Amino acid sequence: MPQSSNPVRLQRSELAVPATSEKFFAKAAAGSADAVFLDLEDAVAPERKDAARAAAILALDEFDWGDKTLAVRINGLDTPWAHRDIIDVVSACPRLDLILLPKAESAFDVRFVDQLLTGLEREHARPKRVGIEVLIETAKGVAHVEEIAAASGRLEALIFGVGDYSIEMRTFDTAFGQPNPGYAMRTQGEGPPQRHWNDQWHFALARIANAARAYGLRPIDGPYANFADEEGYRNSCERAAALGFEGKWAIHPSQVAIANAVFSPSPELVAAAEGIEEALNRSVAAGAGAVGHGGLLVDMAHAKLAAILLGRHRAIRERDGRRGTR
């Protein structure tokens, strides 16, 4: 099965920008999001699809996007616009990094886009390969997420699309991404009964994260619609990070800083990882292995985790250094 050999990218925040909202292009290019996608799908009315595609091509070619990862969300493969979205954008935009495929439901969907991209790259002698990220946002997508994750070495990320998934599951949520108070249990036992909230999306999120990690992909959480609810968005980011996700969509620029912060290792975690590395290095140099450190028995498994965390910390620090931020 294909394993991803794509470039390592930071994707703590992925800002959504409707391709018809040209006034937002410059702000998105100058902002602090790790990734930006120009949307040709849900944010664009049918009669404006062609104009949106032309605007996205112009924006990709004319603005200075710095070191951001740039994607275009094409229309679904079952629409009249999808093939033209891919052909026109890839042919005209050497700066493009990723095609964002919505409503991926099978390995065939990914392979179809892969083959089309392969032909376009040969035709236009593109200087770099175009990657794919897919939205898992249907019941079939979740049911087939492992085969989707294994479909192509060009695939880089799986994204949970909570909006369309909510529609498919008939949950009738209007503020996509927020917890539903109806998904709660009444506690039993001693003391007065209380309601304990649960996460109705845990199954889909955990399955997507596991499939992504199994095939070397980045798991990314999708939108939180109530952008005025900063604490709710932060909690949603923290929930996703605890499950192993690397980042989250931002549907408003105000969400970017929160996502960047939550999906960056905290100073406390960095210090703990450095301490574990130092303790284990001393232990190994002395001819031992596992060692007591900070009240815990740490071993080579802790060393692997520390190395991953510190590698991510260095990548973020290098990114901030290039951007002149702290």
Side-chain angles (χ1 to χ4, degrees):
M1 294 182 180
Q3 289 279 344
S4 176
S5 58
N6 286 289
V8 176
R9 306 184 198 271
L10 285 177
Q11 202 171 348
R12 297 168 299 174
S13 54
E14 183 165 13
L15 179 64
V17 181
T20 49
S21 300
E22 299 177 34
K23 62 182 179 180
F24 296 136
F25 292 163
K27 290 182 179 179
S32 58
D34 287 340
V36 173
F37 76 87
L38 304 184
D39 191 10
L40 305 181
E41 194 212 15
D42 284 349
V44 180
E47 63 273 13
R48 300 196 65 191
K49 295 292 188 181
D50 292 339
R53 187 188 309 120
I57 291 170
L58 195 64
L60 286 167
D61 288 342
E62 291 199 348
F63 285 91
D64 180 3
W65 297 93
D67 58 2
K68 289 178 173 58
T69 297
L70 285 184
V72 169
R73 176 161 71 164
I74 63 170
N75 288 281
L77 296 180
D78 59 347
T79 72
W81 307 288
H83 73 291
R84 184 53 57 192
D85 289 343
I86 298 172
I87 292 169
D88 288 2
V89 172
V90 173
S91 299
C93 302
R95 179 61 179 83
L96 181 73
D97 294 305
L98 301 169
I99 286 292
L100 171 49
L101 173 64
K103 299 179 178 64
E105 294 190 332
S106 69
F108 174 81
D109 293 344
V110 180
R111 292 195 197 102
F112 173 82
V113 176
D114 186 332
Q115 289 302 306
L116 188 52
L117 291 174
T118 298
L120 290 167
E121 287 168 350
R122 290 171 180 166
E123 178 183 356
H124 297 285
R126 286 183 57 91
K128 62 179 178 181
R129 188 170 75 158
V130 179
I132 301 171
E133 56 181 354
V134 300
L135 273 161
I136 306 297
E137 52 184 341
T138 67
K140 282 185 178 179
V142 172
H144 300 155
V145 67
E146 289 84 10
E147 69 178 63
I148 291 169
S152 167
R154 195 187 290 270
L155 186 60
E156 294 193 24
L158 303 180
I159 303 165
F160 177 47
V162 66
D164 279 285
Y165 190 64
S166 298
I167 296 167
E168 285 242 325
M169 299 303 292
R170 306 292 193 267
T171 66
F172 303 106
D173 292 323
T174 54
F176 297 133
Q178 288 188 176
N180 188 323
Y183 195 63
M185 295 293 291
R186 185 173 179 270
T187 60
Q188 303 288 331
E190 297 182 3
Q194 299 178 3
R195 283 172 60 83
H196 172 71
W197 283 36
N198 296 289
D199 180 5
Q200 71 267 35
W201 306 126
H202 178 81
F203 167 75
L205 283 162
R207 187 166 181 181
I208 289 168
N210 191 83
R213 293 305 183 192
Y215 293 97
L217 311 178
R218 296 185 298 275
I220 305 297
D221 196 13
Y224 189 88
N226 185 1
F227 61 83
D229 180 12
E230 293 189 357
E231 284 307 305
Y233 180 74
R234 184 183 301 278
N235 179 255
S236 185
C237 289
E238 292 168 344
R239 177 272 311 267
L243 283 172
F245 282 72
E246 288 193 17
K248 186 171 177 64
W249 272 12
I251 63 165
H252 189 274
S254 64
Q255 295 179 328
V256 169
I258 298 172
N260 284 350
V262 172
F263 291 100
S264 298
S266 69
E268 293 78 13
L269 281 176
V270 171
E274 291 173 341
I276 287 170
E277 279 199 340
E278 292 172 3
L280 283 170
N281 286 341
R282 289 195 301 269
S283 179
V284 170
V291 63
H293 174 72
L296 297 174
L297 181 67
V298 297
D299 56 18
M300 294 303 111
H302 293 88
K304 293 176 183 177
L305 188 60
I308 292 170
L309 186 144
L310 292 174
R312 184 167 177 82
H313 173 64
R314 285 190 293 270
I316 292 168
R317 191 169 56 187
E318 290 169 5
R319 163 71 62 83
D320 289 347
R322 290 195 301 269
R323 293 183 176 182
T325 58
R326 293 181 180 271

